[in-house]
Amino acid sequence: MDETIAILREQTILCNRLLKLFAELTDLLKNNSLDMVQTVRKIEPVITELSRNSMRTQNFLDRMHTKTFSDFLNSQEKSGKRDVAESLLKQADNLQTQIRRSTATLKRLTKNGMDFVNFNINVMSQSSTNATYGAEATTGTQSNRRIFDTNV
């Protein structure tokens, strides 16, 4: 049970750290800040440690012949350590749900940023288009390219 608590405690700490860094990165993206490099560099080792924790978790579960921590905990006798482990498991599950939401937000903000960059490149290159994306460029313009021919 001690190994279970250690793994879950480490996972909870790492998830908390990652969630805070994701919040910091989200704020930077929302504020159009250029200081994202340092935050991304802080995120990388946390993700590496979470990966190691995941491998350690899988090794433990394989040794115990169970698929999940909840299955393992349900097979154990009621005790104070089991209660601690169940509490840590709930915290870890909650944090992982929050991380999934933060990841979705970061993906959306990144996509919006890329769309903004592509739009500005198209505006600067004076590309034009019709109502449909595959339509021929309008006549009488300086460029005969369609708007998405100039994407980076």
Side-chain angles (χ1 to χ4, degrees):
M1 191 58 73
D2 291 335
E3 186 177 3
T4 303
I5 292 172
I7 290 171
L8 289 170
R9 184 171 285 136
E10 179 185 20
Q11 186 177 10
T12 303
I13 291 168
L14 291 170
C15 285
N16 263 322
R17 226 183 278 161
L18 186 61
L19 196 57
K20 287 176 185 174
L21 290 169
F22 277 0
E24 186 179 324
L25 186 59
T26 300
D27 288 342
L28 291 171
L29 284 169
K30 285 180 179 178
N31 295 325
N32 295 323
S33 177
L34 300 175
D35 300 329
M36 290 183 278
V37 175
Q38 291 177 348
T39 304
V40 171
R41 285 188 181 150
K42 291 177 191 175
I43 289 172
E44 290 172 351
V46 175
I47 290 175
T48 302
E49 287 299 315
L50 271 171
S51 177
R52 286 187 188 129
N53 180 272
S54 176
M55 287 187 291
R56 189 172 157 205
T57 298
Q58 193 57 50
N59 290 337
F60 174 79
L61 293 173
D62 289 344
R63 280 194 331 261
M64 298 299 145
H65 305 292
T66 59
K67 292 186 179 187
T68 63
F69 269 125
S70 59
D71 291 343
F72 173 73
L73 292 175
N74 288 335
S75 68
Q76 301 298 307
E77 288 184 27
K78 292 239 182 224
S79 67
K81 287 185 178 184
R82 178 181 167 183
D83 293 341
V84 170
E86 286 175 342
S87 174
L88 287 170
L89 183 61
K90 280 184 184 179
Q91 285 179 342
D93 286 343
N94 184 26
L95 289 169
Q96 289 173 2
T97 300
Q98 291 177 20
I99 287 171
R100 279 191 285 280
R101 287 186 195 133
S102 292
T103 302
T105 300
L106 286 168
K107 284 180 182 178
R108 187 178 41 62
L109 288 170
T110 303
K111 183 185 178 317
N112 289 349
M114 288 302 299
D115 290 345
F116 180 74
V117 168
N118 284 334
F119 173 79
N120 283 313
I121 288 172
N122 289 327
V123 168
M124 288 186 291
S125 65
Q126 298 178 348
S127 298
S128 62
T129 187
N130 221 337
T132 57
Y133 292 13
E136 292 296 320
T138 56
T139 56
T141 62
Q142 295 177 351
S143 173
N144 60 356
R145 294 177 292 180
R146 294 181 303 226
I147 193 166
F148 294 107
D149 288 343
T150 58
N151 280 348
V152 174

